Amino acid sequence: MRKVNRGGGWPAVFYTWQKAREVGGLWKLWKAMRSKNACKTCALGMGGQSGGMVNEAGHFPEVCKKSLQAMAADMQGAIKPDFYSTYTRAQLQAFSPRELESCGRITTPVMLRQGEQYYQPISWEEAYRRITGKLRSVTPDETFWYFSGRSSNEAGFLLQLFARIYGTNNVNNCSYYCHQASGVGLTGSLGTGTATISLEDLDQSDLVFVIGGNPASNHPRLMRTLMHVRRRGGEVIVINPILETGLVNFAVPGDVRSLFFGSSIASVYVQPHIGGDLALLYGLAKRIEAMGAADEPFLANQCEGWIELRTFLRNLSWDEIKHKSGVSQAEIDPIADRYAKARRVVFGWTMGITHHTHGVHNVQAIVNLAMLRGMAGKPGAGLMPIRGHSNVQGIGTMGVTPKLKEIVFDRLQQHFAVRLPTTPGLDTMGCIEAAHAGKVKLAVCLGGNLYGSNPDATFAAKALGELDLIVYLNTTLNTGHAHGLAKETIILPVLARDEEPQPTTQESMFNFVRLSDGGPARHDGPLSEVRIIAELAHRVLGASGPIDWLSMNNTGQIRQAIARIVPGMEQIAEIDQTRKEFHIGGRVLHEPRFSTPSGKARLFIHELPELAGDEGTLRLMTIRSEGQFNTVVYENYDLYRGVDRRDVILLHPDDIRRLHLTAGGRATIRSNAGAMQGVLVSPFDKIKPGNAAMYYPEANLLVPRSVDPGSKTPSFKCVVIQVEAAASAAQQPLAGISSDGDERAKSRANMRSC
Ligand code: SF4
């Protein structure tokens, strides 16, 4: 595989051509990308009323491979009618995530029942009848409702309302498996669960920490912002167990100088051991305190817990820090020195921080470090969880959580004159465990890939298999439709965001609410999420109740309710008239006023966890490639890491020697959750010995179901594994994990729709 020495650049430009050809030409792709719809991929936020490829600061063009991949996927042709009678359940299960995604758009409801081999196309009437019948035959708490962060605010609000009026709080979203620790950690420390800055704040920062993530792959437009921090003489400090190519140097295609000569991103790059972030963060705090760089007046007036934290830091030994982080004081001190000199600092992080059983502690340790120098509550400084899906934050704001905020609970009851259930709701892992135990019988999944995003994939398949009915609302096929099967599985085809018949709204990770105009449907068959939800609610709950559900198939009307019920969303009431997009009130902090009971930021103390594993094991982190977004795989190759397949384990050459493995040979990987055989051993010197990486979601077979007690998020980024050479060289590559060179994939590709 051709290696690249920087991210972005000409390969991104050529990739744009490739995608343009796939969808019928550059003009067709351009028009789709320029439509007034929010970008469908990540939460950095793009598009909306200022037109596609425009960011919150009004800068144009802003486009990246991720946004093109998502658009091209929605511009695919329809899955051919004979597809469902051609491929059996077993054959679909052998498809890779990429193969399923590229089968085309789902355009008809389909059903698969236990014991049957083929999905059957069914009519919408049949689908509604079956789902309604089942919902009426179980008790509300025998159901759960799972939401992806790709759906609109209106669909999220309406479906959580339907589920609650139906009688359950088993309502949760995909952030339980990604950024929940950010929400819980920030709320505990600052009283608010989202970013405290706007995108524009980054234009004033002179130092940005990028912790536990690879935005060069997953949020590429952030690279332009970081390039400008460096060009202004600022610093970017990257903390990541893997030395990521795009975080060292990134050629921003839309900037001529950068395109030709590249742009240095990281001014300092530090690689802790997997799971060593907490110790490293405390090491930095200890150094700041020791060098007298702590902002004592801020800590005294705006924070509580400083005295205890200072004592803890002074008693913490550098040996413990070094052992548990894998980073020496000699590396930590210069980073702290740079932090001490900076005036406006932003701390950004992703799942390398949240995907741990101590994820909440990691987030609170980042807040501690920020508070030590008063880096919140002023322009250009603050906390920035770099979130995943384009509307994952909006879905949370809409009340898609097991427990509603009290004010939202009260206002919902008042506004709709209803009594809402008060039974405790289950989080995502709680639902899977309950399904496995036979306590829930039915699940409704609005977008996403619940099976694919679950840890312990074998357990997840069994759990979903216990359900009487699972209903998926999706645009394209994914591994959940092949492996996450219940006794009866129904897939309902939905319209993409830019095909919606009515405007919808989305919220970016910077608390910015965009209005997406929608657009013409590309295929006959799929329906809007809001219309399906309104129809189902009408059929299940009837027309006699307090809510006229069919009239709720009106996103404008839903926005009127959101404006009256959800704090900070008042402006959404006029957005249809004003077309004025807005920041949610009370979220961006330019004054050090925190929404905690005391009005002060809370500093926490955490015991540093032991470094996972021992001599005979490795610490594994699951990773996303440059060719995927969350569970959706668009390309099998990982350009920035120089890897051309997904059935690999990335190991440092020293570990390959130490464990008597062969580079390019096959290995068996074991963990407490399961085992994977026939995994290709791929030498990778960009990770420290003792640590390893494999691709998500395929490696979820190895991820145990243990969760962070605060966020209920599994530890996808720290799994203790054993690696041994394959018993026999003849061991076949893994099923369902193909590489571009895989003949089977080629043969299937020719037989599929587009
Ligand atoms: S960085 Fe994120 S929001 Fe921006 S274009 Fe790319 S995928 Fe879309």
Side-chain angles (χ1 to χ4, degrees):
M1 162 133 207
R2 183 169 60 77
K3 272 202 179 343
V4 295
N5 57 13
R6 60 172 69 119
W10 291 106
V13 174
F14 300 142
Y15 190 82
T16 305
W17 285 111
Q18 176 197 329
K19 282 296 155 190
R21 274 201 312 277
E22 275 175 28
V23 300
L26 194 61
W27 178 238
K28 199 170 169 195
L29 182 61
W30 174 266
K31 279 196 302 176
M33 295 300 291
R34 280 295 280 149
S35 69
K36 290 189 172 183
N37 288 289
C39 174
K40 303 169 187 176
T41 305
C42 90
L44 197 74
M46 227 56 81
Q49 290 312 297
S50 43
M53 303 197 281
V54 180
N55 72 11
E56 270 140 67
H59 183 268
F60 172 84
E62 292 276 351
V63 61
C64 79
K65 285 177 73 172
K66 289 281 169 304
S67 58
L68 293 168
Q69 288 163 334
M71 183 62 82
D74 285 341
M75 295 172 81
Q76 291 184 85
I79 291 178
K80 290 191 178 138
D82 66 349
F83 175 91
Y84 299 109
S85 57
T86 303
Y87 293 104
T88 64
R89 165 199 300 251
Q91 287 175 314
L92 291 175
Q93 289 174 343
F95 280 26
S96 71
R98 179 171 180 264
E99 288 163 340
L100 287 160
E101 172 67 20
S102 56
C103 285
R105 291 285 303 274
I106 309 167
T107 57
T108 174
V110 290
M111 174 179 70
L112 178 64
R113 282 172 296 194
Q114 208 165 38
E116 292 174 351
Q117 285 311 307
Y118 296 93
Y119 269 101
Q120 310 286 337
I122 57 174
S123 68
W124 277 101
E125 184 50 41
E126 169 76 6
Y128 285 137
R129 192 183 60 71
R130 303 187 75 88
I131 300 166
T132 303
K134 195 66 202 172
L135 277 168
R136 287 202 163 157
S137 70
V138 296
T139 64
D141 276 341
E142 288 180 313
T143 70
F144 73 76
W145 308 68
Y146 172 80
F147 299 58
S148 144
R150 200 164 162 173
S151 297
S152 67
N153 284 338
E154 292 75 16
F157 181 87
L158 190 63
L159 189 58
Q160 67 82 27
L161 181 65
F162 171 19
R164 292 202 155 95
I165 306 285
Y166 170 71
T168 185
N169 285 315
N170 292 344
V171 170
N172 54 69
N173 68 72
C174 59
S175 76
Y176 272 87
Y177 283 176
C178 83
H179 259 289
Q180 188 67 9
S182 300
V184 174
L186 284 171
T187 303
S189 298
L190 303 178
T192 176
T194 64
T196 66
I197 64 163
S198 68
L199 177 66
E200 291 82 349
D201 276 304
L202 286 160
D203 297 340
Q204 302 176 50
S205 309
D206 57 359
L207 170 55
V208 178
F209 280 91
V210 177
I211 312 172
N214 184 17
S217 276
N218 303 312
H219 303 79
R221 301 310 317 150
L222 193 61
M223 293 304 109
R224 168 188 282 277
T225 305
L226 298 180
M227 173 189 76
H228 284 301
V229 170
R230 295 299 312 275
R231 282 189 176 169
R232 288 196 305 269
E235 307 236 56
V236 174
I237 295 176
V238 176
I239 299 176
N240 191 319
I242 293 181
L243 185 66
E244 300 286 9
T245 302
L247 293 179
V248 174
N249 195 298
F250 194 96
V252 176
D255 181 282
V256 177
R257 178 160 52 124
S258 183
L259 178 60
F260 282 91
F261 307 107
S263 302
S264 294
I265 301 297
S267 27
V268 180
Y269 206 118
V270 59
Q271 296 179 254
H273 282 317
I274 289 173
D277 304 276
L278 194 62
L280 173 55
L281 291 164
Y282 272 89
L284 289 167
K286 178 179 175 68
R287 173 65 181 165
I288 290 291
E289 193 279 327
M291 63 192 287
D295 183 338
E296 297 289 347
F298 183 90
L299 289 160
N301 302 327
Q302 317 296 349
C303 301
E304 49 189 12
W306 169 229
I307 307 305
E308 296 80 2
L309 177 59
R310 183 171 54 199
T311 308
F312 180 84
L313 292 173
R314 289 180 176 170
N315 296 337
L316 191 56
S317 76
W318 280 109
D319 289 347
E320 182 179 357
I321 290 168
K322 181 171 184 313
H323 171 67
K324 291 183 175 176
S325 68
V327 180
S328 68
Q329 185 180 356
E331 290 174 277
I332 291 175
D333 287 359
I335 297 172
D337 298 352
R338 289 166 188 245
Y339 178 35
K341 293 195 188 86
R343 292 173 307 104
R344 295 177 184 281
V345 179
V346 167
F347 291 82
W349 67 86
T350 73
M351 290 176 275
I353 284 293
T354 60
H355 272 178
H356 292 272
T357 50
H358 55 272
V360 170
H361 292 181
N362 280 343
V363 171
Q364 291 172 338
I366 291 174
V367 178
N368 283 354
L369 189 56
M371 295 302 114
L372 250 64
R373 299 212 58 250
M375 292 304 167
K378 66 179 181 184
L383 292 306
M384 176 181 71
I386 305 171
R387 310 210 62 170
H389 269 302
S390 59
N391 195 36
V392 67
Q393 207 164 287
I395 288 287
T397 300
M398 291 304 111
V400 178
T401 53
K403 186 165 179 25
L404 287 170
K405 290 195 175 99
E406 208 172 310
I407 187 171
V408 174
F409 182 91
D410 296 343
R411 287 181 177 181
L412 271 172
Q413 294 203 129
Q414 224 169 14
H415 183 83
F416 291 105
V418 292
R419 306 279 325 141
L420 295 177
T422 53
T423 43
L426 295 171
D427 57 79
T428 311
M429 180 56 77
C431 291
I432 296 294
E433 305 263 2
H436 192 269
K439 293 186 187 136
V440 290
K441 305 264 183 261
L442 185 150
V444 175
C445 300
L446 179 63
N449 179 357
L450 176 58
Y451 163 79
S453 56
N454 247 289
D456 196 345
T458 309
F459 180 91
K462 267 213 213 86
L464 298 175
E466 292 299 322
L467 295 170
D468 294 344
L469 173 63
I470 191 163
V471 181
Y472 293 110
L473 289 81
N474 291 97
T475 53
T476 52
L477 292 177
N478 61 48
T479 57
H481 303 135
H483 298 273
L485 304 173
K487 297 186 180 73
E488 183 169 313
T489 300
I490 293 178
I491 309 174
L492 301 177
V494 296
L495 295 167
R497 181 176 296 165
D498 59 349
E499 298 169 353
E500 288 277 358
Q502 304 174 65
T504 59
T505 58
Q506 294 76 26
E507 175 191 333
S508 78
M509 62 184 238
F510 295 109
N511 309 299
F512 188 71
V513 176
R514 286 183 163 76
L515 179 69
S516 295
D517 283 358
R522 291 183 177 89
H523 303 283
D524 294 337
L527 297 178
S528 87
E529 294 171 334
V530 165
R531 176 174 169 186
I532 297 168
I533 298 163
E535 181 67 36
L536 270 176
H538 170 70
R539 288 173 181 243
V540 173
L541 301 174
S544 58
I547 300 176
D548 170 2
W549 291 102
L550 291 180
S551 75
M552 294 298 276
N553 177 20
N554 175 326
T555 57
Q557 184 176 328
I558 297 173
R559 283 188 280 280
Q560 295 309 316
I562 293 170
R564 288 170 182 72
I565 292 166
V566 181
M569 292 295 281
E570 294 75 12
Q571 292 176 61
I572 207 168
E574 288 99 41
I575 201 167
D576 291 276
Q577 292 72 41
T578 63
R579 319 301 283 180
K580 193 169 168 311
E581 298 166 322
F582 61 94
H583 281 95
I584 297 175
R587 301 264 189 97
V588 175
L589 301 180
H590 285 163
E591 298 289 324
R593 273 199 296 277
F594 305 109
S595 317
T596 55
S598 65
K600 292 186 173 188
R602 288 183 63 200
L603 304 177
F604 286 85
I605 294 172
H606 311 103
E607 289 308 319
L608 304 186
E610 279 306 326
L611 204 56
D614 57 32
E615 266 310 293
T617 61
L618 293 165
R619 288 172 295 277
L620 173 74
M621 60 191 278
T622 61
I623 55 175
R624 279 118 169 110
S625 78
E626 190 266 345
Q628 77 183 91
F629 190 76
N630 275 346
T631 59
V632 182
V633 177
Y634 298 108
E635 307 295 349
N636 281 327
Y637 59 83
D638 187 358
L639 186 64
Y640 298 168
R641 298 188 182 109
V643 179
D644 69 350
R645 51 196 307 144
R646 298 179 59 83
D647 55 342
V648 298
I649 183 166
L650 307 181
L651 288 176
H652 190 279
D654 293 359
D655 286 328
I656 293 176
R657 273 188 297 280
R658 180 172 66 84
L659 298 167
H660 311 295
L661 302 168
T662 312
R666 297 281 170 179
T668 299
I669 321 293
R670 295 182 201 289
S671 76
N672 291 345
M676 294 174 76
Q677 294 184 327
V679 178
L680 193 79
V681 175
S682 182
F684 190 68
D685 60 7
K686 295 192 172 168
I687 196 166
K688 282 183 174 175
N691 306 284
M694 290 176 74
Y695 289 108
Y696 167 105
E698 293 91 339
N700 286 356
L701 280 163
L702 299 169
V703 180
R705 297 193 311 283
S706 45
V707 296
D708 179 316
S711 65
K712 309 299 181 195
T713 300
S715 179
F716 292 101
K717 295 281 185 193
C718 189
V719 179
V720 174
I721 57 168
Q722 286 168 312
V723 183
E724 61 203 37
S728 67
Q731 228 167 46
Q732 286 309 305
L734 301 171
I737 301 189
S738 62
S739 74
D740 283 9
D742 181 305
E743 293 317 310
R744 286 173 305 130
K746 282 213 183 87
S747 64
R748 268 201 295 279
N750 304 336
M751 282 159 58
R752 253 197 319 293
S753 70
C754 40

